[in-house]
Amino acid sequence: MENTETTALRLHSAGTDYLATDLVSLCGDRLSRLPVVLRLLMENAARNMQGAERDAALAALRAWTDTGTSEAEIAFQPGRVLMHDTTSTPALVDLAAMRSTLAEAGVDPTVLNSSLPVDVSIDHSLAVEAFARPDAPQLNMAFEIRRNAERYAFLRWASKVLRGVRINPPGTGIMHTINLEQLATVVAVEERDGAAWLVPDMMIGTDSHTPMVNGIGVLGWGVGGLEAQTVMFGMPTMLRIPDVVGVRLTGALRPGVLATDLALTVTQQLRAIGVSGEFVEFFGPGVTTLSAGDRSVVANMAPEYGATTGFFPVDRRTLDYLAQTGRDAAHIERVEVHARATGLWFDPAAEPVYTRSIHVDLNAIDMHIAGPRRPQDLLGYGDARATLAALGFAPQSSDAELPRHPIAIAAITSCTNTSDPRLLIAAGLVARKAHALGLKAPPWVKTSLGPGSPAAADYLERAGLLQDLSAVGFDIVGYGCTTCIGNSGQLLPVVQQAMAAGEIHPVAALSGNRNFAGRVHPDLDLGFLMSPPLVIAFGLAGDAERDLRVDPVQVTADGRPAYLRDLWPTPEEIDTAFAQSQEPSDYRRAFAIATANPLWHALDAPDSPLYPWDPASTALRRPPFAALTEGSLLGHYTAHPLLVVGDDITTDHISPASAIPKDSQVADFLVERGDDRDDLNVFASRRGNWEVMVRAAFHSKTLKNLFSPGAPVAHTLHVPSGEVVPLWEAAQRYRAAGESVVLVAGERYGTGSSRDWAAKGQRLLGIRAVLANSFERIHRSNLIGMGVLPLRMPEGTTPVTLALRPGDRIEIDARAQDIAPRGAVAVKVHRADGRLEQFEAIAAVETQLEVNLLRAGGVIPSTLQKMVQRHGVSANNAIAAAH
């Protein structure tokens, strides 16, 4: 049902009449004081909400300018959903399993479809196996398709039988780059009641870096796969009207300083003030000095600075980007006409009301790197030496051939810094100057260039830079996430051997967005984030302790030192090469060629309404939580701690994505079922198989279990027996005995990627509640989506102060009828020695919809129950059929 009460504005663009939501009439004089992100939420609410709820939402948004905050809830209805292959696979496996459950309950399974367009980009499975050779893209593509054939055939099935699901095949690029270059409209045309409306393009994506599209004025953010499923099933996503942090930009970046340096600076400054889930919006005169490419780099890192968005409003730079990427003139005119008429056009002199704000002087920013284990740990580009020295690594041999901290991986990777052509051109110019001096990467450095777009090959070739990149070792390896997501392939043998001998502590240099320990490779716990041209420089140096401010990158064959200043391009050189490289038709043409991928289209996929599950598959298994028999985990219970962990536990710790270690319990499980121990792929490729993923839960060498110090990876203490066993085995024992379990954590629990398996794994381990000092936004939502209650402990109560010991048990009074948004929950700690301690936790639940999901047991049981009732089958009969 569409809202017919929306105040309409009449617009004319490119010879056509349109209607649009009249924000000026809805908001009056307050509109200019409202952050642009909230203007967009107002437009969405006015267009999609109804009656009294709509009126209340609009009134609450208008009133926001009085205090800069609100407790009111509004419904947000995105126009489309974006996924990648390793988040879409579990989501679509859930849908396939739900179809099977509905069929068994007597409901036509074809009633279950997405109500919104869903674009799936296959970008997270490309591994760097072949590198430093011109045919690396073809070799890596063939390897990818062979390794993932069963999973990819499943995705082809989904695109055939599920309405609205479109797959962008391997080789088409990274989802966020595709979103910028191909999918985003900024302003869309929507038919309503026989009239053409211009509406802002608003979307969600099952990846935390979805805000990259905020760089061109599209409101979108990352959600977990479970939240996305609620939207796909026709429900809006409910959110409390967000607090908005304003970042005022003044000045302009100095020569030599790049968008990456700005993004890392913003990340450090916003983390320093404790941003956690707020919307962030950029304003001030400095915004106009940044290209849309610059802005998108900064917007991309919103999850790293703790924000939901990193929004830049529409202006002339947005229109320039649309023209640069081949959008037609009528489209661009519609965007400008709509934004100017509705109050969404950027005004550099505007000073909206914000919840709080910071100032960033672009003139004061220097060249930076960040690390070695967190994106917010900002360093000067010459400070790696001192930072690494402080770690105190002492080689076990004094005659090692490699540096103490060699660069093991030098990767120009990730949508973050490869979607802006100027950054890749800057890297190419460094390579050109290095090539002219005869420089090459040392033999222990694994080099790679993985652009977000296949158009990159065209514009780098046109600028004459591809050969220079190849000459110094940075051939294109394919178009996907590669090293950034952990698909870095094997380290070079010389590095592996030196590590085994205790001679080195290797480091990764990458242009990605995260450098958590073990993320880019399970054997690397050190990594520095940096711009693409700096990746080239560090890769050529081969030594992470090289201070490139004063030390030479290399010495040439004739004995001359080559310094970074000799290689670094000037702004004029970048401008010239950029102008030479650009052809707007590249973007559509390259995408079309990649979409026609013959290896992809040769995959055979079924087209039956129900997916034919194979019980022998190690890639795809029907998950047990997609069942009518799954119920709520709420209640009043006393639980054993299954696991106790500290601060900054990432989703990589909870559910890793990188290579499956050959000597792991997960490998043993797969080999027992016929898989090759030398070709197990990455954890992310197994997200369609719940039996693998529950064994992979918390499989991280860097994770410390405070409840069982010294336990092997992914093990814990089973208290009744006193045995240290694998986590999943301990969970099975507790379940069989009818015992409840919980998890205790510190600050920022669940930081990192949006992966819903970080929550699904905890549900399958039987964890009824997670008690933490704070939660990262998406993981909190995913826990609720799986029916797991997130509880925020009071200040001063931490995993360390609780000091839980074997035999201690935690009593939680979380009865379904008592749970409320941000409500108090009584917690008691029963010590093994008979002492009783108690405190009051807060349910980290933001909306009534989230309360309802917890009461139902999560998104999937809730949806199944509604569909069974809607189609005339009694719930009791359906559950009996399921049994």
Side-chain angles (χ1 to χ4, degrees):
M1 179 178 174
E2 293 176 341
N3 177 30
T4 57
E5 301 174 5
T6 300
T7 305
L9 182 69
R10 297 188 179 278
L11 302 177
H12 184 83
S13 177
T16 304
D17 293 322
Y18 298 99
L19 298 178
T21 303
D22 190 348
L23 289 174
V24 176
S25 294
L26 288 173
C27 204
D29 294 340
R30 291 176 180 257
L31 187 64
S32 63
R33 298 171 56 211
L34 200 64
V36 178
V37 285
L38 297 189
R39 299 177 206 178
L40 287 164
L41 290 181
M42 176 176 281
E43 193 281 341
N44 191 279
R47 185 162 39 90
N48 293 301
M49 295 181 73
Q50 299 291 317
E53 290 183 351
R54 173 183 183 270
D55 293 342
L58 296 179
L61 283 160
R62 285 190 291 266
W64 191 94
T65 57
D66 294 332
T67 60
T69 191
S70 176
E71 294 297 315
E73 293 179 21
I74 59 171
F76 174 71
Q77 186 64 64
R80 55 192 179 92
V81 178
L82 188 63
M83 293 182 163
H84 58 72
D85 54 300
T86 62
T87 52
S88 68
T89 297
L92 295 173
V93 164
D94 291 349
L95 264 67
M98 292 166 72
R99 278 192 162 204
S100 296
T101 297
L102 290 173
E104 291 163 357
V107 176
D108 178 3
T110 63
V111 300
L112 186 65
N113 277 291
S114 175
S115 62
L116 288 178
V118 179
D119 268 282
V120 175
S121 293
I122 300 185
D123 60 5
H124 269 54
S125 299
L126 177 67
V128 184
E129 303 295 342
F131 65 99
R133 50 188 294 175
D135 59 351
Q138 294 76 31
L139 294 172
N140 289 328
M141 171 70 73
F143 191 83
E144 176 189 356
I145 295 285
R146 180 188 63 76
R147 260 187 165 180
N148 298 283
E150 182 182 1
R151 186 163 59 92
Y152 287 180
F154 168 77
L155 293 175
R156 282 179 57 78
W157 168 82
S159 69
K160 288 181 178 182
V161 304
L162 297 174
R163 185 176 61 244
V165 175
R166 178 173 60 183
I167 309 292
N168 298 311
T172 51
I174 301 175
M175 62 186 294
H176 306 305
T177 314
I178 293 173
N179 200 15
L180 287 169
E181 294 178 358
Q182 309 292 334
L183 305 179
T185 59
V186 185
V187 171
V189 178
E190 181 181 290
E191 293 295 323
R192 302 176 64 216
D193 297 330
W197 283 68
L198 294 183
V199 301
D201 182 6
M202 295 187 239
M203 48 83 63
I204 58 171
T206 58
D207 185 271
S208 55
H209 294 102
T210 299
M212 187 169 206
V213 79
N214 294 176
I216 60 170
V218 173
L219 183 59
W221 60 85
V223 299
L226 295 158
E227 187 174 347
Q229 286 177 31
T230 67
V231 174
M232 290 167 64
F233 297 145
M235 293 181 281
T237 182
M238 300 298 298
L239 68 154
R240 181 173 67 86
I241 296 175
D243 290 354
V244 184
V245 177
V247 179
R248 187 170 192 269
L249 301 180
T250 59
L253 296 176
R254 292 180 291 110
V257 176
L258 300 172
T260 312
D261 305 307
L262 171 58
L264 295 177
T265 300
V266 168
T267 298
Q268 187 273 331
Q269 293 198 18
L270 289 176
R271 277 294 185 185
I273 66 168
V275 169
S276 180
E278 296 98 324
F279 281 30
V280 165
E281 178 172 300
F282 295 87
F283 71 107
V287 170
T288 61
T289 69
L290 301 174
S291 70
D294 295 332
R295 298 172 186 182
S296 297
V297 174
V298 177
N300 177 283
M301 291 194 71
E304 280 67 53
Y305 44 81
T308 298
T309 69
F311 189 79
F312 290 85
V314 174
D315 68 356
R316 179 62 55 188
R317 297 281 197 159
T318 312
L319 306 186
D320 292 344
Y321 179 81
L322 295 176
Q324 174 194 320
T325 50
R327 271 71 162 205
D328 63 58
H331 180 170
I332 297 169
E333 183 180 329
R334 282 195 300 271
V335 172
E336 181 172 6
V337 166
H338 178 270
R340 288 188 182 278
T342 56
L344 298 175
W345 187 263
F346 178 65
D347 177 2
E351 298 277 349
V353 173
Y354 293 105
T355 310
R356 51 183 172 158
S357 63
I358 66 169
H359 172 230
V360 175
D361 180 3
L362 300 178
N363 295 308
I365 294 174
D366 292 316
M367 290 168 57
H368 286 294
I369 60 175
R373 293 190 176 103
R374 299 192 309 175
Q376 63 263 44
D377 294 333
L378 189 70
L379 300 168
Y381 71 96
D383 292 339
R385 174 187 292 166
T387 302
L388 293 171
L391 299 177
F393 173 71
Q396 295 181 16
S397 171
S398 59
D399 58 353
E401 296 182 5
L402 272 60
R404 181 171 62 165
H405 289 291
I407 299 291
I409 289 175
I412 299 176
T413 178
S414 169
C415 52
T416 308
N417 289 298
T418 72
S419 299
D420 180 4
R422 297 178 67 86
L423 287 175
L424 289 187
I425 286 168
L429 291 170
V430 170
R432 173 179 288 173
K433 296 181 181 186
H435 181 201
L437 293 171
L439 309 185
K440 287 188 176 183
W444 59 82
V445 181
K446 185 171 187 178
T447 53
S448 61
L449 168 56
S453 168
D458 293 325
Y459 63 69
L460 288 171
E461 176 68 34
R462 193 174 291 110
L465 297 172
L466 268 185
Q467 287 185 333
D468 295 307
L469 287 160
S470 177
V472 298
F474 285 85
D475 290 277
I476 290 176
V477 296
Y479 307 97
C481 301
T482 60
T483 298
C484 183
I485 193 58
N487 288 338
S488 51
Q490 294 295 313
L491 299 177
L492 293 177
V494 64
V495 172
Q496 296 183 48
Q497 292 160 13
M499 286 181 68
E503 297 174 349
I504 61 171
H505 194 170
V507 177
L510 66 152
S511 66
N513 42 55
R514 291 183 180 140
N515 51 354
F516 306 138
R519 178 178 172 86
V520 302
H521 191 282
D523 292 333
L524 297 182
D525 67 339
L526 302 176
F528 291 104
L529 305 180
M530 60 190 70
S531 66
L534 269 182
V535 172
I536 299 274
F538 272 93
L540 292 172
D543 183 356
E545 291 192 274
R546 194 75 55 83
D547 182 349
L548 297 185
R549 290 173 299 196
V550 295
D551 297 338
V553 174
Q554 273 191 29
V555 176
T556 65
D558 59 3
R560 289 178 295 144
Y563 292 95
L564 184 63
R565 60 179 176 267
D566 302 321
L567 306 179
W568 205 255
T570 66
E572 293 75 21
E573 289 172 323
I574 296 173
D575 289 344
T576 299
F578 176 77
Q580 178 184 345
S581 73
Q582 290 303 294
E583 170 51 59
S585 63
D586 283 347
Y587 296 89
R588 300 286 175 176
R589 183 180 63 252
F591 186 75
I593 292 170
T595 300
N597 184 338
L599 294 177
W600 166 260
H601 290 285
L603 291 171
D604 186 32
D607 56 7
S608 55
L610 295 178
Y611 184 72
W613 303 102
D614 178 2
S617 172
T618 59
L620 300 164
R621 297 297 305 277
R622 182 176 170 181
F625 46 71
L628 286 162
T629 51
E630 289 291 297
S632 175
L633 299 179
L634 297 175
H636 186 181
Y637 53 87
T638 302
H640 288 282
L642 183 66
L643 197 67
V644 180
V645 294
D647 296 341
D648 294 304
I649 301 304
T650 73
T651 50
D652 286 279
H653 288 120
I654 303 169
S655 185
S658 56
I660 298 173
K662 296 180 183 180
D663 59 352
S664 64
Q665 58 178 333
V666 178
D668 294 342
F669 177 82
L670 291 168
V671 171
E672 287 170 5
R673 284 151 183 79
D675 282 10
D676 181 354
R677 195 177 292 272
D678 292 322
D679 191 19
L680 294 174
N681 212 334
V682 292
F683 285 109
S685 71
R686 305 288 181 165
R687 290 180 183 161
N689 185 339
W690 69 271
E691 290 185 302
V692 174
M693 296 310 295
V694 72
R695 287 164 172 81
F698 298 96
H699 196 289
S700 170
K701 291 192 295 185
T702 61
L703 181 71
K704 295 180 180 178
N705 181 359
L706 304 180
F707 189 63
S708 183
V713 172
H715 282 59
T716 196
L717 175 68
H718 176 249
V719 173
S721 68
E723 296 176 352
V724 174
V725 297
L727 270 168
W728 63 270
E729 183 179 329
Q732 285 183 323
R733 292 186 186 186
Y734 284 125
R735 184 181 290 111
E739 300 270 13
S740 296
V741 295
V742 296
L743 184 145
V744 179
E747 296 283 1
R748 296 172 293 278
Y749 183 69
T751 189
S753 300
S754 66
R755 62 195 65 161
D756 54 6
W757 259 107
K760 288 177 175 176
Q762 292 175 81
R763 170 86 189 212
L764 289 174
L765 289 172
I767 294 169
R768 298 182 70 168
V770 175
L771 297 95
N773 294 113
S774 65
F775 295 87
E776 287 293 284
R777 178 184 61 85
I778 296 178
H779 186 61
R780 183 202 65 82
S781 171
N782 277 336
L783 287 171
I784 292 169
M786 286 307 297
V788 178
L789 176 64
L791 292 173
R792 191 174 295 114
M793 295 188 292
E795 188 173 352
T797 301
T798 71
V800 173
T801 63
L802 281 174
L804 294 166
R805 298 290 181 264
D808 293 347
R809 303 181 74 191
I810 300 175
E811 180 185 349
I812 296 175
D813 189 356
R815 283 171 274 209
Q817 66 270 23
D818 298 330
I819 293 295
R822 298 176 294 285
V825 174
V827 178
K828 297 178 181 178
V829 180
H830 297 267
R831 298 293 184 181
D833 62 8
R835 289 178 297 123
L836 179 66
E837 301 167 11
Q838 51 191 335
F839 59 86
E840 194 173 78
I842 299 298
V845 180
E846 290 295 318
T847 66
Q848 188 60 42
L849 175 61
E850 291 184 338
V851 171
N852 295 340
L853 289 176
L854 286 167
R855 290 172 177 169
V859 169
I860 296 171
S862 173
T863 303
L864 286 171
Q865 292 160 17
K866 290 176 181 176
M867 298 204 76
V868 164
Q869 293 165 5
R870 186 182 305 156
H871 293 279
V873 178
S874 84
N876 289 337
N877 289 345
I879 291 172
H883 278 302

